[in-house]
Amino acid sequence: MTEVAVRADDVSLAYPRDDDVAVNGVSFALEVGSILGIVGEAGAGKSTLARAVAAQTTHQEREPPNIVGGHLEVLGRQLRGSTARQRDRLSLHVGYLPQDGGSTLEPRLTVGENVAEPIYSRDRHFDRIEAGTAVATLVDAVRLPLSVMTKYPHELSRGQRQRIALARALILEPALLVADDPTMGVDVLVRGRILNVIAELQRERSFSALVIGHDLRELRTITDQIGVMCGGLFVGFGQVDEVLRHPMHPYVTRLAAMQ
């Protein structure tokens, strides 16, 4: 039987202060060690789904999206009805790269300190040499020179900041990476590099990955398994060519025409 990193069974999601359902009855499975791409237009519910899987809050909410229907299992843990402490323990094993993750870097910390921050937020007494080695390894892995470690975020380009945010998301060696539109706002010439880095690190480190995107042509360069969202629903799911060859929804038909 194939191991599953994420399993959603008829999941519906809403935010704590909002009666509207942002995701309405989606089901899918992400196999361990694989990449699943989720594509859809703005407002389709992609980011809400990503936050729920990663158990992440927004700036406006103190809790992740509420699971108001169905069941969501991440790395063997059932999230519906989970406590804040249980979600915090899960976050040790889930790396989260938010939209425009580079903008979430702490401007008063150097790049190296930003990447190391998740380590010291868990253990203030963690060995400095070991942490520095881990940070340098990841900075090099995301194809940036080690000299950036002493710079501050504002001294880097947007694409470089995004790669540093990716390094920070992976510093605890998570079993699952959730990347929410990692190329959004990044120069078109750099987008491919960011996705290639994610794919290369996934192969090297064997983590599972849920990658949200707005451009199917970009996503299919790193995975052939996709889910297509529209209006809070999955309107296509499976192998890319099969989904596009047999569209079951007008939005999928439009996607196919753009490829």
Side-chain angles (χ1 to χ4, degrees):
M1 184 175 178
T2 303
E3 288 187 89
V4 174
V6 180
R7 187 186 302 279
D9 182 13
D10 198 26
V11 169
S12 294
L13 303 169
Y15 286 100
R17 296 190 179 94
D18 193 344
D19 293 331
D20 292 334
V21 175
V23 173
N24 191 6
V26 303
S27 298
F28 70 93
L30 167 60
E31 295 180 2
V32 168
S34 65
I35 300 175
L36 173 63
I38 304 290
V39 69
E41 57 193 357
K46 308 184 302 297
S47 292
T48 300
L49 181 60
R51 291 188 194 107
V53 170
Q56 290 289 323
T57 62
T58 68
H59 293 303
Q60 293 78 29
E61 305 288 350
R62 294 184 178 180
E63 297 179 3
N66 283 338
I67 302 172
V68 296
H71 299 280
L72 179 60
E73 183 180 295
V74 178
L75 302 179
R77 297 163 176 83
Q78 183 58 240
L79 292 191
R80 188 170 188 181
S82 62
T83 64
R85 179 172 293 181
Q86 290 170 328
R87 293 192 296 271
D88 187 56
R89 284 201 295 267
L90 175 63
S91 70
L92 285 170
H93 308 284
V94 180
Y96 178 60
L97 179 62
Q99 282 188 10
D100 194 16
S103 68
T104 66
L105 299 175
E106 172 53 59
R108 293 170 295 181
L109 298 181
T110 65
V111 164
E113 290 167 340
N114 266 286
V115 176
E117 189 275 332
I119 296 176
Y120 293 115
S121 69
R122 301 290 178 179
D123 182 359
R124 289 181 299 171
H125 303 292
F126 194 88
D127 184 83
R128 298 278 169 176
I129 295 177
E130 188 176 347
T133 300
V135 170
T137 298
L138 267 174
V139 169
D140 180 63
V142 298
R143 300 183 185 174
L144 288 175
L146 297 185
S147 59
V148 304
M149 291 173 58
T150 57
K151 296 181 181 294
Y152 288 87
H154 73 270
E155 298 180 273
L156 306 184
S157 70
R158 193 166 186 170
Q160 289 174 325
R161 289 196 296 270
Q162 191 72 347
R163 280 183 273 174
I164 290 301
L166 172 62
R168 183 180 62 180
L170 295 174
I171 192 64
L172 297 181
E173 299 185 352
L176 171 66
L177 172 69
V178 178
D180 187 2
D181 213 345
T183 63
M184 189 182 83
V186 176
D187 188 278
V188 66
L189 298 176
V190 182
R191 291 176 188 171
R193 295 182 207 166
I194 292 173
L195 291 175
N196 287 341
V197 165
I198 291 175
E200 287 178 8
L201 288 172
Q202 187 272 334
R203 287 192 296 269
E204 292 170 6
R205 296 177 174 233
S206 300
F207 55 79
S208 310
L210 182 68
V211 183
I212 309 299
H214 61 277
D215 189 331
L216 181 55
R217 285 170 295 189
E218 291 181 356
L219 276 182
R220 69 188 304 179
T221 65
I222 63 169
T223 181
D224 67 349
Q225 295 295 313
I226 61 157
V228 182
M229 292 191 73
C230 182
L233 301 167
F234 269 8
V235 295
F237 189 88
Q239 199 272 336
V240 176
D241 290 335
E242 283 298 309
V243 170
L244 298 180
R245 190 178 297 122
H246 305 290
M248 305 293 288
H249 187 275
Y251 178 65
V252 182
T253 302
R254 294 198 300 272
L255 268 184
M258 294 166 58
Q259 301 307 302

